[in-house]
Amino acid sequence: MILLALATSSTAVPYYAKRGCNDTCGQVRIPYPFEIGENCSVNRWYTVDCNSSTPYLSALNDLEVLRINLDNQTVTVNVSMISDCRNPVRNSSQILNVNLDGSPFLFSRRYNKFVVQGCGNAVILDEGSTLTGCSTTCPNDSVSEIISNCVGINCCQTTIPYNLKSYSMNLTSLERQVGGDAVCGWALLMDENSQVRSLAKNISHVPISLLWTLTDRDSSLIYCCFVKDNVKVDVGNGKSIMSYKCRSFNDYYEGNYYIRDGCDVSQECQRCISDGGSCSNNNTEYHEDGLVSKENWKCMYWGSVVEEKKSRAVILGKVIPVL
């Protein structure tokens, strides 16, 4: 059980970058360990170039950064998709190769989905072995361009089996059942929470979430404001890598917990402390990426427990309403 008896309330505005560094580019917040400029990020892979108010990962082929999530330990970027819509040919095949080797990034299995849209089938391969795939059917003359309700008719989706460093995507077009002509299709790995709901023929990039990892060397440059976890991340074939993560505390803290003194106590936790209690976490849940997915918190008092969002207290085995 972790008990936190912190100082009383603070009205300071949480900051996300190291002192002297900029934490925003256009409308995108850039928190440490990412930063704008080489002297601000934890290493060159996390350096962001801000060009015309648009952030790019300069060491990763200038991929556009859409958002960075400290809780999920992901960075969402725009990546290429494959399509045969310009010149659809019956039973044609296209291959897209994507590689993150040498970088601290992985394609997150938790926050991405594999989507095939149009009339065809596609598979994801790793070193020549098929990992996953799905196939669509086109029973009528119209091919939907809507991703929602993606259950196999004109669109199918599935998950990737583990966090990937690289993959190949093979799209094979099929002919429409009615009419017998070739129909264009799309194949893509995309962030499951993205706002993309339809695909137009002129779209070439889609959002995808990359899981970022921190090595032992990076750890010496990370000053977690509370707890630093060493987590194991599955990369398939019985292999895993170790990564460091600063523990987040969800509703009880705000700010950037990858910076020393970067966390600020939330108003809810401040009320608990002002009443003489301590913010406590005695149950941590993890999702399949190996990272914290949920912290179960309580406001703890000497000899009593007040559960979050419950209007009662247990004191010496008796239930006493909280007024």
Side-chain angles (χ1 to χ4, degrees), residues 103-161:
S103 80
F105 303 107
L106 300 162
F107 296 100
S108 171
R109 68 173 176 181
R110 171 64 179 84
Y111 295 104
N112 293 312
K113 58 186 177 183
F114 178 50
V115 177
V116 179
Q117 192 174 19
C119 189
N121 59 59
V123 294
I124 286 183
L125 305 99
D126 183 22
E127 298 180 351
S129 299
T130 299
L131 301 178
T132 189
C134 65
S135 179
T136 66
T137 60
C138 301
N140 51 46
D141 289 332
S142 63
V143 176
S144 172
E145 293 184 358
I146 305 299
I147 289 181
S148 58
N149 300 321
C150 192
V151 293
I153 301 176
N154 295 332
C155 181
C156 66
Q157 66 182 37
T158 187
T159 58
I160 60 176

Side-chain angles (χ1 to χ4, degrees), residues 247-264:
R247 180 84 61 85
S248 62
F249 296 103
N250 300 329
D251 295 338
Y252 283 86
Y253 295 88
E254 55 187 359
N256 186 351
Y257 23 87
Y258 285 82
I259 302 176
R260 180 179 292 165
D261 301 325
C263 296
D264 194 25

Side-chain angles (χ1 to χ4, degrees), residues 86-98:
R86 289 188 176 180
N87 297 295
V89 179
R90 191 177 305 171
N91 297 321
S92 65
S93 180
Q94 293 192 46
I95 297 177
L96 172 69
N97 295 304
V98 184

